[in-house]
Amino acid sequence: MALPDILGQDHMHAAAKLLGTYYRRTAAGLPAYTGSMYSSWGGGAAARDVNRVTAEDLIAVSFLSVDVPGEAAFGILEPQAALISDLLAQIPADLEMAGLPPDDFDKVLGEASPARQLWHVLRGRGTGRRGMCETRTSKLMARKRPLLVPVYDSVAGHLMRLGPGSAGQWQKWHTALTDGTGLPERLQEIRRVSRITDPISDLRVMDIVLWMYGTGAATGERQ
């Protein structure tokens, strides 16, 4: 799978600069990009209930420039809370996408997997509940499983040639991370060189770098 130049070996320092810029603070002490609080909000992964979607998770998602509509939030936090927790309990919290053996992909992220079932539940399939687009759903799932589930948005989708919509995105990300070209190691080096202190996942490093690169990093947009 062809990667954008910014994820290549020759551009790691440029990528690290983008990541560091994303996490910088203004003179007033505010985050330059609110998305820098997405992973750490509510105490970070160590303090998070990994098998339950909470109001803190919905707030964290809002830092990525999307809001979960009230109808969807109620459905996620109340009527479907038990089902969502049951599905989350079946999705490994400590498994990285880059460490997922190709032979196990269908079991963990395939169409019949708990992860894909959770995707459909969060999107409101069969409930009549509306408001959870692909981008919102991916950002909520990535909050709960940051090592395994990537954020999807139009910027990353375009740069990674994921095609219209998010269909097949997990398989394409998995191929890019496991094809032996060293992408996971480069992402770890980008994080190290950037000197950020937040312990974000490799997938989140990739998401930030792609978003900053794809938007020009100087658009003034806050995410």
Side-chain angles (χ1 to χ4, degrees), residues 90-174:
Q90 298 177 57
I91 305 169
D94 57 353
L95 176 62
E96 296 188 49
M97 181 178 273
L100 176 61
D103 290 346
D104 291 339
F105 179 86
D106 285 342
K107 179 176 67 175
V108 177
L109 293 175
E111 190 56 41
S113 67
R116 183 55 65 177
Q117 292 176 52
L118 179 58
W119 174 273
H120 294 316
V121 168
L122 292 175
R123 293 213 64 196
R125 175 177 287 186
T127 67
R129 173 171 54 77
R130 300 179 180 179
M132 288 297 285
C133 64
E134 294 170 323
T135 297
R136 289 187 179 102
T137 302
S138 78
K139 289 175 178 179
L140 184 53
M141 285 192 65
R143 164 81 176 176
K144 302 312 297 182
R145 292 295 180 270
L147 301 178
L148 186 64
V149 177
V151 168
Y152 169 82
D153 59 30
S154 59
V155 176
H158 173 72
L159 288 173
M160 295 294 287
R161 300 178 178 89
L162 296 179
S166 65
Q169 58 148 328
W170 292 348
Q171 180 69 71
K172 292 178 180 178
W173 285 122
H174 183 255

Side-chain angles (χ1 to χ4, degrees), residues 8-209:
Q9 180 70 33
D10 295 337
H11 295 81
M12 285 198 298
H13 283 274
K17 184 176 180 180
L18 291 175
L19 182 60
T21 297
Y22 190 82
Y23 273 88
R24 70 178 176 83
R25 294 276 174 157
T26 67
L30 300 173
Y33 294 87
T34 57
S36 63
M37 300 187 296
Y38 163 76
S39 299
S40 60
W41 182 257
R48 202 174 303 155
D49 187 338
V50 297
N51 292 331
R52 186 170 66 94
V53 174
T54 67
E56 296 282 10
D57 295 318
L58 302 186
I59 293 171
V61 167
S62 76
F63 295 146
L64 297 182
S65 300
V66 298
D67 293 317
V68 176
E71 180 182 315
F74 176 74
I76 290 167
L77 296 176
E78 290 288 343
Q80 294 182 299
L83 174 59
I84 289 169
S85 290
D86 179 65
L87 289 170
L88 278 170
Q90 298 177 57
I91 305 169
D94 57 353
L95 176 62
E96 296 188 49
M97 181 178 273
L100 176 61
D103 290 346
D104 291 339
F105 179 86
D106 285 342
K107 179 176 67 175
V108 177
L109 293 175
E111 190 56 41
S113 67
R116 183 55 65 177
Q117 292 176 52
L118 179 58
W119 174 273
H120 294 316
V121 168
L122 292 175
R123 293 213 64 196
R125 175 177 287 186
T127 67
R129 173 171 54 77
R130 300 179 180 179
M132 288 297 285
C133 64
E134 294 170 323
T135 297
R136 289 187 179 102
T137 302
S138 78
K139 289 175 178 179
L140 184 53
M141 285 192 65
R143 164 81 176 176
K144 302 312 297 182
R145 292 295 180 270
L147 301 178
L148 186 64
V149 177
V151 168
Y152 169 82
D153 59 30
S154 59
V155 176
H158 173 72
L159 288 173
M160 295 294 287
R161 300 178 178 89
L162 296 179
S166 65
Q169 58 148 328
W170 292 348
Q171 180 69 71
K172 292 178 180 178
W173 285 122
H174 183 255
T175 298
L177 289 160
T178 60
D179 63 2
T181 56
L183 178 57
E185 291 78 12
R186 290 198 299 278
L187 294 172
Q188 292 158 21
E189 181 67 4
I190 289 168
R191 182 173 54 240
R192 186 191 69 79
V193 173
S194 74
R195 297 185 179 180
I196 65 167
T197 57
D198 281 36
I200 60 175
S201 69
D202 294 347
L203 290 179
R204 182 63 178 140
V205 171
M206 182 164 62
D207 169 50
I208 293 169
V209 169

